[in-house]
């Protein structure tokens, strides 16, 4: 814990952001960190709550009160060691995690949780600044070789842990650079990619071999993989997007959200030229889907110079505040506004998209929408009903479908291996017992979104570890 009476004496304070008008003209990070003194004060607010619910609120079970106390006492290097004992990439989670730990904080009962995420980010940033982050090279090698397929957060965490245990690890990635969703799915204004590069350098020194531009099941067969390695870990993402099969879906300008984001992030990172960008400059953009991916489409469109950005959500607007007595310390359903949404997007709830409108040349120019309401039938099941006479049209030159992901791509690697899938289409693998994370194939394991379905980066890190 921090100071015994800190939570009574010190007001909550969090990081701030650069003004909207300056941050939307580029793709750079725009968070303004707290000073060391302010961070020490915020660490002091961590109270002696008896049961630190933040431990279980955090998927990697970060030892949050421990490093809060160390920051309060100015022991930053020790705080970094404690932080790294549970989390391989706190520089990532300290920037993009939705922070379920803060929702679980006892002080959140009065809406004043400890600024855990900001403290976490400051600890690891200071660690890199001072050269405290060193490669942890295994002193004893096992002679075992492991292939890890998919270099997102699950694959990177898996690879780092295995290398530190003394195994020879080869991390396969079908893209040109390592990082998966963190590299090309998350915009650079939320996560500067130099952070991934420096962590990759640490992993290289620890013995991890990166094989990029290598699509398992296409460029190398699964039989070759099984023959060459003692174990194989499948740590790819949940990449099959949910589609919207309505009239006009085939029109130019209607994109899956991840295709739109990748086209832009790869240009920002210099992977390809402007000819490959899906630009929203001077265009009306409609984002269908209200989650994080949709929010990233909004921020990207704004920085492209979109004429307007509208976000549609088929569900009703959540309540402004949750009922703490009912949901705490679990993650609450409540109204949230992302930094991208506050940059100028119009948000519409309880709206269904009926069709995309052709401009006569095969391009989308508008979408036909209708308002909906949700009611329960006699069996208590929710039903969607269109509101009569509520139809309306939105101009749309670009539409991004950000409605989530169904399961991993089955073609090539998974079908070639013949691994069993669960009812949702993910790779079957339990998390309990001696055969945790085993698939139905001998010496083949799976972790992260490929096993559990679409989830958070912090859950992927946990499963990789």
């Amino acid at each position: 814990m921090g100071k015994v009476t800190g939570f009574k004496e010190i007001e909550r304070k969090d990081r701030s952001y650069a003004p909207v008008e300056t941050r939307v003209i580029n793709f750079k990070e725009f968070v303004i960190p707290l000073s060391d003194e302010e961070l020490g004060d915020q660490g002091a607010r961590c109270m002696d709550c008896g049961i630190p619910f933040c431990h279980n609120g955090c998927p990697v079970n970060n030892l949050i009160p421990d490093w809060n106390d160390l920051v309060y006492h100015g022991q930053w290097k020790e705080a970094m060691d404690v932080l790294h004992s549970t989390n391989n990439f706190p520089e990532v989670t300290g920037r993009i995690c939705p922070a379920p730990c803060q929702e679980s904080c006892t002080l959140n009962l009065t809406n004043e949780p400890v600024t855990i995420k900001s403290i976490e980010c400051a600890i690891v940033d200071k660690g890199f600044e001072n050269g405290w982050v060193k490669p942890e090279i295994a002193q004893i090698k096992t002679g075992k070789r492991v292939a890890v397929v998919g270099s997102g957060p699950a694959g990177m965490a898996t690879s780092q842990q295995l290398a530190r245990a003394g195994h020879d690890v080869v991390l396969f990635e079908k893209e040109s650079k390592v990082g998966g969703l963190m590299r090309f799915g998350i915009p650079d204004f939320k996560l500067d990619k130099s952070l991934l590069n420096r962590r990759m350098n640490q992993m290289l020194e620890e013995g991890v071999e990166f094989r990029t531009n290598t699509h398992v099941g296409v460029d190398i067969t699964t039989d070759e993989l099984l023959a060459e390695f003692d174990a194989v870990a499948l740590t790819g993402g949940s990449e099959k997007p949910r589609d919207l099969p309505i009239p006009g879906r085939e029109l130019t300008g209607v994109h899956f959200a991840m295709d739109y984001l990748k086209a832009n992030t790869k240009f920002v990172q210099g992977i390809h030229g402007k000819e490959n960008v899906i630009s929203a400059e001077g265009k009306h953009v409609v984002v269908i889907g209200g989650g994080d991916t949709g929010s990233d489409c909004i921020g990207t469109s704004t920085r492209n110079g979109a004429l307007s950005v509208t976000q549609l959500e088929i569900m009703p607007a959540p309540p402004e505040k949750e009922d703490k007595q009912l949901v705490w310390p679990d993650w609450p359903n409540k109204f949230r506004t992302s930094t991208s949404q506050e940059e100028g997007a119009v948000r519409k709830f309880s709206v269904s998209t009926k069709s995309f409108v052709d401009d006569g040349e095969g391009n989308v120019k508008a979408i036909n929408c209708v308002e909906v309401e949700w009611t329960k039938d006699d069996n208590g099941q929710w039903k969607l009903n269109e509101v009569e006479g509520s139809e309306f049209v939105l101009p749309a030159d670009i539409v991004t479908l950000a409605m989530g992901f169904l399961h991993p791509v089955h073609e090539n690697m998974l079908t070639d291996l013949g691994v069993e899938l669960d009812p949702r289409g993910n790779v079957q693998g339990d998390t309990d017992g001696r055969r945790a994370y085993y698939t139905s194939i001998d010496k083949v394991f799976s972790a992260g979104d490929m096993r559990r379905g679409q989830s958070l980066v912090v859950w992927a890190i946990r499963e990789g570890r």
Side-chain angles (χ1 to χ4, degrees), residues 9-273:
E9 300 169 3
I10 302 168
E11 289 187 4
R12 184 181 194 274
K13 186 174 184 179
D14 208 347
R15 295 174 288 188
S16 57
Y17 305 109
V20 170
E21 60 270 19
T22 61
R23 73 194 198 212
V24 297
I25 60 175
N26 58 56
F27 278 80
K28 297 178 180 178
E29 287 188 6
F30 51 83
V31 175
I32 302 172
L34 299 173
S35 67
D36 286 2
E37 182 180 358
E38 289 170 325
L39 288 160
D41 285 344
Q42 294 308 303
R45 295 187 66 248
C46 188
M47 63 188 296
D48 186 11
C49 57
I51 298 175
F53 291 95
C54 56
H55 281 194
N56 281 343
C58 172
V60 293
N61 305 125
N62 275 332
L63 305 175
I64 295 162
D66 302 61
W67 40 259
N68 278 339
D69 182 64
L70 290 165
V71 167
Y72 166 52
H73 288 100
Q75 297 174 276
W76 288 90
K77 187 177 185 301
E78 292 80 358
M80 186 201 71
D81 293 337
V82 173
L83 178 56
H84 273 137
S85 71
T86 57
N87 188 350
N88 296 70
F89 317 119
E91 68 274 19
V92 176
T93 54
R95 286 170 168 81
I96 64 171
C97 184
C101 54
Q102 291 184 181
E103 299 291 349
S104 296
C105 178
T106 302
L107 285 174
N108 191 38
L109 284 167
T110 56
N111 297 306
E112 298 175 315
V114 175
T115 53
I116 298 169
K117 181 177 172 180
S118 294
I119 296 173
E120 173 186 31
C121 193
I123 292 170
V124 67
D125 284 353
K126 187 174 285 289
F128 274 106
E129 289 166 10
N130 288 279
W132 298 334
V133 182
K134 305 286 187 182
E136 300 178 25
I137 301 170
Q139 298 303 303
I140 300 174
K141 302 292 284 185
T142 66
K144 299 291 185 181
R145 302 190 73 224
V146 183
V148 180
V149 185
S151 73
M156 286 183 68
T158 300
S159 300
Q160 187 165 58
Q161 293 298 105
L162 289 170
R164 290 174 176 179
H167 303 310
D168 293 320
V169 182
V170 179
L171 179 56
F172 290 87
E173 171 54 54
K174 66 177 182 290
E175 293 281 4
S176 60
K177 288 191 175 184
V178 166
L181 175 75
M182 299 184 296
R183 173 74 66 177
F184 295 127
I186 297 172
D188 291 55
F189 59 81
K190 286 178 64 176
L191 180 66
D192 189 298
K193 301 313 184 283
S194 65
L195 306 177
L196 300 181
N197 296 339
R198 68 186 184 187
R199 191 61 82 171
M200 284 171 55
N201 290 335
Q202 181 195 33
M203 292 172 65
L204 283 168
E205 292 189 57
E206 292 170 342
V208 177
E209 177 187 342
F210 299 124
R211 290 192 194 173
T212 55
N213 293 311
T214 306
H215 193 169
V216 175
V218 177
D219 301 312
I220 181 174
T221 69
T222 55
D223 286 342
E224 289 174 310
L225 216 60
L226 291 171
E228 184 180 346
F229 294 91
D230 297 292
V232 176
L234 309 179
T235 57
S238 180
E239 294 184 295
K240 187 72 172 178
R242 181 174 282 107
D243 207 345
L244 187 60
I246 59 175
R249 170 63 182 89
E250 76 287 350
L251 294 174
T252 300
V254 182
H255 307 276
F256 285 122
M258 201 51 63
D259 293 338
Y260 175 69
L261 292 172
K262 283 184 177 181
N264 280 276
T265 54
K266 287 183 177 181
F267 171 69
V268 171
Q269 295 168 41
I271 305 298
H272 61 211

Side-chain angles (χ1 to χ4, degrees), residues 428-438 446-448 451-452 459 462-463:
Q428 180 69 53
D430 297 325
T431 57
D432 299 321
R434 294 184 63 186
R435 293 185 64 82
Y437 298 99
Y438 263 98
S446 187
R451 189 205 68 82
R452 67 177 285 120
W459 268 111
R462 179 216 172 98
E463 296 225 336

